[in-house]
């Protein structure tokens, strides 16, 4: 097989840990000798052995003289685990093929230098685009210290997220709702506005077998979240409430006493969303899945904080000039300022249409 074929296998292996390695990247490794795969490995979770170590342990003495395919530059520093580059040298690997360099300043070419200094042949850039797409969350966070933000909307064909009377359950089909829970499962955190909490009292959990619940983030400038709300009392996941300096101190203390984390972001009437995202990044929250209402959605789009969009569209027409829509706020005045998507994909999910794409940053 070609280098590309072996790297494709390594990328597929890496994806086994989707949503489980944060704040680390997903990494897969394959060791090949005499034209056959003798070992495979992938990084399971932060703080556990990296992909290369799993593969080297599987290969044992057979690793000597073999080729290692790895989806990201081997680490060169002591973190929670020892450097993988040194382990590769000690194992006697003859050739290393990597998909991409690691943009982490603690690595950034140092891993490759250790390998080449030891006389190992190194090839970089095989299926690089695919590797970057796999680790788009990690790449955003490690280079900007801001989380990768995915905005999800679920609406009717005419853009409504509820009827004029406020009914919203359920606009989209069961298959779409299942997909949403799968998306919650692979993100570090889920974000909604306080209006969603007041209207629906949601749990904001990932209700799938073997799933993990994301951290719950409530954008709530005046700390209006009820102390009896599910996100405060159910204990199913950590809850962070983002407030402004104007929020009542007694309410903040009451929420803290119930185990809620409070982030104060901004001193205006609204939470400073950019400041909030920076604070979340400092807390090693690398991905945020937004299921907000029209006001929060527009604010995030207007501040250029959204990286990716999932739009679930049901084949229903609701109508009503007072019915809520997926993006509200002040709106973009000029069409030239409208948020644009690229790299767009569409698929049928049950009876619904799912459109996903990336927000243009230019």
């Amino acid at each position: 097989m070609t280098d590309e074929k072996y790297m494709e296998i390594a990328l597929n292996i890496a994806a086994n840990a989707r949503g489980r390695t944060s704040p680390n990247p997903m990494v897969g490794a394959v060791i090949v000798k005499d034209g056959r795969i003798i070992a495979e490995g992938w990084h399971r979770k932060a703080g556990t052995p990296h992909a290369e170590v799993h593969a080297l342990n599987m290969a044992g003495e057979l690793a000597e003289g073999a080729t290692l395919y790895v989806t990201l530059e081997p680490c060169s520093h002591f973190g929670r685990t020892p450097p993988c580059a040194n382990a590769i040298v000690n194992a006697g690997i003859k050739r290393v093929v990597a998909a991409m360099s690691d943009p982490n300043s603690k690595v950034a070419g140092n891993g490759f230098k250790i390998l080449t200094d030891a006389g190992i042949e190194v090839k970089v850039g095989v299926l690089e685009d695919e590797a970057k797409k796999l680790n788009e969350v990690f790449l955003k966070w490690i280079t900007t210290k801001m989380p990768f933000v995915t905005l999800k909307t679920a609406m009717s064909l005419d853009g409504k997220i509820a009827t004029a009377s406020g009914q919203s359950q359920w606009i989209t089909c069961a298959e779409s709702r299942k997909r949403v829970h799968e998306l919650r499962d692979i993100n570090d955190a889920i974000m909604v506005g306080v209006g969603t909490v007041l209207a629906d009292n949601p749990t904001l959990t990932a209700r799938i077998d073997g799933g993990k619940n994301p951290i719950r983030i409530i954008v709530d400038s005046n700390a209006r979240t009820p102390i009896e709300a599910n996100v405060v009392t159910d204990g199913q996941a950590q809850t962070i409430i983002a407030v402004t300096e104007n929020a009542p101190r007694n309410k903040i203390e009451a929420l803290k006493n119930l185990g809620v984390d409070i982030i104060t972001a901004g001193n205006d009437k609204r939470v400073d969303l950019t400041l909030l995202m920076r604070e979340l990044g400092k807390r090693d929250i690398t991905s945020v899945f937004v299921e907000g209402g029209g006001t929060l959605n527009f604010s995030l789009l207007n501040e250029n904080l959204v990286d990716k969009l999932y739009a679930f569209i049901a084949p229903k027409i609701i109508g009503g000039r007072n019915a809520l829509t997926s993006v509200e706020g002040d709106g973009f005045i000029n069409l030239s300022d409208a948020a644009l998507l690229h790299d767009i994909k569409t698929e049928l999910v049950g009876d619904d249409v799912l459109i996903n794409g990336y927000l243009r940053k230019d």
Side-chain angles (χ1 to χ4, degrees):
M1 290 197 294
T2 64
D3 286 345
E4 287 75 14
K5 288 294 184 182
Y6 288 123
M7 188 61 72
E8 184 178 355
I9 294 171
L11 287 166
N12 288 336
I13 292 170
N16 285 330
R18 190 179 299 277
R20 298 296 181 266
T21 62
S22 179
N24 289 355
M26 291 175 279
V27 182
V30 172
I31 298 177
V32 176
K33 191 171 186 179
D34 299 328
R36 67 184 184 90
I37 295 174
I38 61 171
E40 299 175 346
W42 69 91
H43 182 43
R44 265 78 164 176
K45 183 181 179 181
T48 66
H50 291 182
E52 302 94 316
V53 173
H54 281 297
L56 290 171
N57 288 341
M58 180 182 288
E61 294 180 355
L62 291 176
E64 185 171 358
T67 296
L68 169 69
Y69 294 85
V70 63
T71 58
L72 185 69
E73 176 181 0
C75 66
S76 57
H77 64 292
F78 281 89
R80 300 183 190 181
T81 58
C84 291
N86 293 347
I88 293 167
V89 172
N90 294 336
I93 290 288
K94 181 180 180 181
R95 180 173 180 253
V96 171
V97 180
M100 60 177 290
S101 301
D102 190 338
N104 186 345
S105 60
K106 295 179 180 179
V107 184
N110 292 323
F112 292 142
K113 186 176 186 302
I114 291 173
L115 300 178
T116 55
D117 286 350
I120 296 174
E121 178 188 347
V122 175
K123 181 180 179 180
V124 185
V126 176
L127 299 188
E128 182 174 8
D129 290 343
E130 290 84 347
K132 287 181 176 179
K133 180 65 70 69
L134 176 71
N135 274 313
E136 60 190 8
V137 168
F138 170 76
L139 294 178
K140 164 94 183 280
W141 176 76
I142 200 66
T143 57
T144 68
K145 290 304 176 184
M146 299 267 281
F148 187 95
V149 178
T150 300
L151 175 62
K152 165 251 159 181
T153 63
M155 55 190 169
S156 64
L157 195 59
D158 54 338
K160 307 297 185 180
I161 61 173
T163 66
S165 65
Q167 293 182 14
S168 61
Q169 297 181 347
W170 298 103
I171 290 177
T172 52
C173 66
E175 292 87 348
S176 290
R177 299 196 296 275
K178 180 176 183 294
R179 178 73 66 86
V180 170
H181 284 282
E182 292 170 353
L183 290 168
R184 290 181 179 183
D185 170 63
I186 64 172
N187 279 272
D188 291 348
I190 180 172
M191 177 181 287
V192 300
V194 67
T196 298
V197 174
L198 294 173
D200 301 330
N201 192 23
T203 58
L204 303 178
T205 54
R207 294 185 287 278
I208 57 175
D209 292 338
K212 67 171 180 59
N213 292 329
I215 297 169
R216 301 175 292 200
I217 302 168
I218 315 302
V219 180
D220 182 5
S221 57
N222 291 313
R224 293 190 294 148
T225 299
I227 58 174
E228 67 274 11
N230 286 325
V231 294
V232 175
T233 63
D234 66 11
Q236 295 194 56
Q238 176 188 357
T239 295
I240 297 172
I241 296 181
V243 301
T244 68
E245 293 179 1
N246 298 323
R249 301 310 304 174
N250 60 337
K251 183 63 177 293
I252 288 175
E253 291 305 315
L255 290 167
K256 284 183 176 180
N257 289 337
L258 292 169
V260 173
D261 290 335
I262 301 292
I263 293 178
T264 302
N267 54 14
D268 204 347
K269 294 181 180 179
R270 292 185 178 180
V271 170
D272 184 327
L273 294 173
T274 299
L275 184 61
L276 172 59
M277 291 299 177
R278 289 188 182 130
E279 182 58 37
L280 295 176
K282 290 178 184 177
R283 297 182 180 212
D284 289 352
I285 294 175
T286 66
S287 58
V288 175
F289 187 61
V290 181
E291 292 192 58
T295 300
L296 177 60
N297 291 349
F298 175 73
S299 295
L300 289 165
L301 290 166
N302 191 43
E303 294 185 34
N304 205 24
L305 292 172
V306 179
D307 297 290
K308 193 171 186 178
L309 173 73
Y310 282 86
F312 292 86
I313 304 172
K316 301 174 182 176
I317 297 175
I318 293 175
R321 65 171 57 90
N322 296 320
L324 298 176
T325 61
S326 60
V327 181
E328 295 182 336
D330 294 331
F332 296 105
I333 303 302
N334 299 310
L335 280 176
S336 58
D337 296 327
L340 296 175
L341 299 183
H342 68 98
D343 195 10
I344 299 165
K345 296 179 180 177
T346 61
E347 63 175 297
L348 282 176
V349 180
D351 292 331
D352 301 335
V353 175
L354 170 59
I355 299 175
N356 75 76
Y358 296 87
L359 274 294
R360 290 192 181 276
K361 296 297 184 177
D362 54 358

